[in-house]
Amino acid sequence: VEFTAVQKEIKDGMYSPNAYVLANLAIQLPMIFVLAVAALLPPWAIDALPWVTFPSAVLVFGVILFALECVAQAMSLVGNPLLGMMLFITHWFVTFLFSGLFVKISSVIWPLRILCYITPMRWGMPSMIYQAFSPYDGERGDVFEGAGKCTPSPFFGPLFCYGGFFCEGISPLECYGRTGKDILGTVGINFDVISDEFTMWTDIAYMVAIAVCWKLLFVVQLNRLCSGGTAPSAPAAKKKPPRKGD
C-alpha cells in the first residue's frame, strides 16, 4: 500500500526516490534502537543481568534489527505482497538455521556454507551472548566458586573433566567454569561461533555491510520501478462549435 502511494507521488514529481529513502532512513534508525531498548529491558531486569553491558547489547541488537529491516524493505518491492512475505519468512528461517547455533559451520557443505556468512544472526548472536555472560568476572558480576580447574584424562576424556573444569556434586557435562568467560569458552566447544573473545566491533561491521547491500538493492529496485512510464501528453484542443450564420 505504501509503495503504491510512494510510486504515484514520485512519478508526479513530488520528490525523488533517493529523497524518500533518506527520509525513511531518518525515521527508521532511531525507532529501531527504541525497539531494541524496549526488547532488552525486560530480560535484563528479570534475569538481573549486569547493566554495564546493556548499552553494548542495545547497539548489537539494534544493528541486527536494522539488517533485517533492510532485508524486509528489499523484499517488499516484489510484485506480489504475499510472495514478498514468504521470501522474508524464508530468509528469517535461513538466518536462524545457518547462524552456527544449530549446526556447526564446518559441518555445512559448500555452497550452502556461504549462507553462514551473509546472514545477520551469524554475527549478531555471538556478540549478544558475549554481552550477557562476559561481565561475570568477580568485579562486575558474580562468579561460581564451586568450579575448579582440572586436566582431562587421556583415557576418560571429558567424562570427569569437561572443558577443563570440575564442579563437586555436579555432572562434568553441567560444569562450565567459574567466570562468564570460562562458560563462553566451554560452550564454544560445541558451538564454534561462541567465543570468550571480544569481537563486537567486527561483528557489527559485518552486519552493517550486509545491511548496506540489501539497502542498495532496495534503492536500485525503487529507482527502477519509479522511473518507468511516459510523460503525459498535452490535451488536444477542443474545436469550437460553429456559430449560426457562419
Side-chain angles (χ1 to χ4, degrees):
V1 176
E2 179 185 358
F3 172 69
T4 303
V6 168
Q7 186 181 40
K8 183 178 183 301
E9 292 170 354
I10 290 176
K11 288 189 175 183
D12 288 344
M14 298 178 65
Y15 48 82
S16 68
N18 294 333
Y20 166 75
V21 172
L22 291 176
N24 181 271
L25 189 63
I27 299 173
Q28 183 186 57
L29 282 176
M31 291 307 300
I32 279 177
F33 286 100
V34 169
L35 181 60
V37 171
L40 295 181
L41 268 177
W44 243 257
I46 294 172
D47 294 336
L49 296 174
W51 292 100
V52 66
T53 57
F54 183 75
S56 300
V58 169
L59 176 61
V60 173
F61 192 62
V63 176
I64 294 174
L65 293 180
F66 176 65
L68 292 174
E69 183 68 15
C70 291
V71 175
Q73 277 191 315
M75 293 181 177
S76 69
L77 298 182
V78 177
N80 190 321
L82 294 178
L83 179 59
M85 287 190 290
M86 184 185 71
L87 288 174
F88 181 72
I89 292 173
T90 302
H91 178 273
W92 183 268
F93 174 76
V94 169
T95 294
F96 274 100
L97 182 61
F98 292 96
S99 64
L101 297 176
F102 300 96
V103 181
K104 279 190 173 184
I105 295 177
S106 57
S107 300
V108 180
I109 62 172
W110 290 97
L112 294 179
R113 190 181 298 182
I114 194 171
L115 296 173
C116 299
Y117 302 103
I118 63 173
T119 54
M121 288 294 183
R122 156 66 182 88
W123 306 104
M125 290 304 294
S127 284
M128 286 295 298
I129 295 172
Y130 182 89
Q131 301 306 323
F133 283 91
S134 63
Y136 293 98
D137 55 6
E139 296 180 3
R140 298 176 296 173
D142 297 333
V143 297
F144 180 60
E145 299 293 351
K149 292 278 187 178
C150 63
T151 303
S153 168
F155 300 102
F156 299 102
L159 186 60
F160 298 107
C161 183
Y162 182 74
F165 297 96
F166 176 78
C167 304
E168 188 174 354
I170 300 178
S171 168
L173 297 179
E174 298 177 1
C175 181
Y176 296 101
R178 179 175 176 272
T179 66
K181 289 190 175 183
D182 291 340
I183 294 173
L184 292 172
T186 305
V187 174
I189 296 175
N190 292 325
F191 302 96
D192 50 7
V193 297
I194 298 178
S195 171
D196 57 357
E197 297 181 0
F198 180 82
T199 59
M200 187 185 74
W201 297 115
T202 303
D203 296 338
I204 288 178
Y206 278 113
M207 289 189 290
V208 170
I210 293 170
V212 168
C213 290
W214 283 104
K215 181 66 77 173
L216 289 176
L217 179 62
F218 169 71
V219 172
V220 171
Q221 182 72 346
L222 180 67
N223 278 272
R224 188 186 70 82
L225 293 175
C226 294
S227 62
T230 57
S233 57
K238 292 184 179 180
K239 293 183 179 180
K240 295 182 178 180
R243 295 180 180 180
K244 291 182 179 181
D246 290 349

